[in-house]
Amino acid sequence: MTRPAYGVLRPVTPLAAVLLAENPSPMTLDGTNTWVLRAPGTRSCVVVDPGEEDEGHLQRVAAHGPVALVLLTHRHPDHAGGARRFAELTGAPVRALDPSLVLGSEALTDGDVVAESGVQLRVVATPGHTSDSLSFLLTGPDADPVVLTGDTILGRGTTVIAHPDGALGPYLDSLHRLADLAPGTAVLPGHGPELPDAPAVARAYLAHRAERLEQVRAALARLGPEASPRQVVETVYADVDRAVWPAAELSVRAQLEHLRGTA
């Protein structure tokens, strides 16, 4: 699959366009997706996840303003690290679930409806990747619904459960919430390409997590119940690029807590 150009605003839906930040890595895939939302003919916009503190990227996003509001899907630096500087550049308030990330406005809560720049976003709490992870169900005039998922659902591969802040039980609950969205609700993810059907992807993620849990159970049966997370990673993720083993170990820690009933 061809990677989109860095720093170029790419229209995706009638209400959403994306700028890809140039911060590729095994964890961020091609880089962080910064979403720019506005109804056709509307001058201002809403920006979701301005990205890390990269002046060039923040300036390029700001150039597509005026920015009326900034929303954050979660606290990780590749999504939120540049939010304070972006607020300085644009004068826009920043809203997130975590009050420590909020600037000039109020924290978000599950079920909130944000109406700005001709679009409407319903806040859906989707903890698991992190405790403060949110998704945003985006609707607008004459547009099919889409959901911005941050790192809860990625455009390629699966996400890490960022233990100890993240936890598997809440993540599975979040996937069930996304699986209950209307069929054909497209995914606008925090990393990777957009996907056509959030419920289908969420069900695939649930099946993947169930399979991984069975693999962890099997590894514990072989290694013993007190096996370390690293030992489990070396068994369950033996065929996975070692560059992502540190992330896999975070997920394994979350899986072990879940299995041992301490999550």
Side-chain angles (χ1 to χ4, degrees), residues 141-154:
D142 303 318
D144 294 330
V146 300
V147 62
L148 293 93
T149 55
D151 284 359
T152 299
I153 288 179
L154 303 179

Side-chain angles (χ1 to χ4, degrees), residues 237-255:
Y237 293 83
D239 59 344
V240 174
D241 185 347
R242 291 194 177 207
V244 300
W245 274 18
E249 186 169 333
L250 295 178
S251 287
V252 165
R253 288 180 182 275
Q255 289 164 332

Side-chain angles (χ1 to χ4, degrees), residues 11-252:
V12 176
T13 79
L15 304 178
V18 63
L19 274 87
L20 178 62
E22 194 169 358
N23 60 334
S25 75
M27 291 293 292
T28 61
L29 304 180
D30 295 325
T32 299
N33 291 328
T34 294
W35 292 97
V36 178
L37 314 176
R38 55 162 57 96
T42 303
R43 183 165 175 263
S44 66
C45 67
V46 176
V47 169
V48 178
D49 289 350
E52 61 189 35
E53 195 166 1
D54 175 338
E55 186 71 14
H57 178 69
L58 299 177
Q59 292 275 4
R60 285 188 288 273
V61 177
H64 293 285
V67 179
L69 178 65
V70 179
L71 300 176
L72 302 178
T73 61
H74 64 295
R75 63 173 59 95
H76 281 166
D78 57 313
H79 294 257
R84 182 172 294 277
R85 173 58 181 153
F86 190 69
E88 293 173 356
L89 288 172
T90 63
V94 177
R95 301 189 70 185
L97 181 67
D98 182 347
S100 72
L101 299 174
V102 174
L103 297 169
S105 188
E106 299 176 345
L108 295 167
T109 60
D110 183 48
D112 281 351
V113 175
V114 177
E116 180 54 70
S117 301
V119 301
Q120 182 170 287
L121 299 112
R122 178 164 63 85
V123 179
V124 183
T126 47
H129 170 68
T130 61
S131 61
D132 70 326
S133 287
L134 298 175
S135 295
F136 300 108
L137 188 64
L138 170 66
T139 58
D142 303 318
D144 294 330
V146 300
V147 62
L148 293 93
T149 55
D151 284 359
T152 299
I153 288 179
L154 303 179
R156 185 171 69 249
T158 56
T159 198
V160 62
I161 309 301
H163 179 275
D165 182 42
L168 183 58
Y171 185 63
L172 298 176
D173 292 340
S174 295
L175 291 177
H176 281 292
R177 292 195 75 180
L178 295 173
D180 287 338
L181 294 177
T185 299
V187 175
L188 306 184
H191 305 280
E194 55 274 11
L195 299 172
D197 194 287
V201 179
R203 289 190 292 270
Y205 267 45
L206 284 163
H208 170 78
R209 289 295 169 187
E211 181 181 3
R212 281 292 191 220
L213 275 175
E214 287 305 312
Q215 291 171 338
V216 171
R217 285 192 183 97
L220 292 176
R222 291 195 301 272
L223 299 169
E226 300 306 317
S228 70
R230 177 68 180 197
Q231 288 174 305
V232 174
V233 168
E234 290 172 354
T235 301
V236 173
Y237 293 83
D239 59 344
V240 174
D241 185 347
R242 291 194 177 207
V244 300
W245 274 18
E249 186 169 333
L250 295 178
S251 287
V252 165

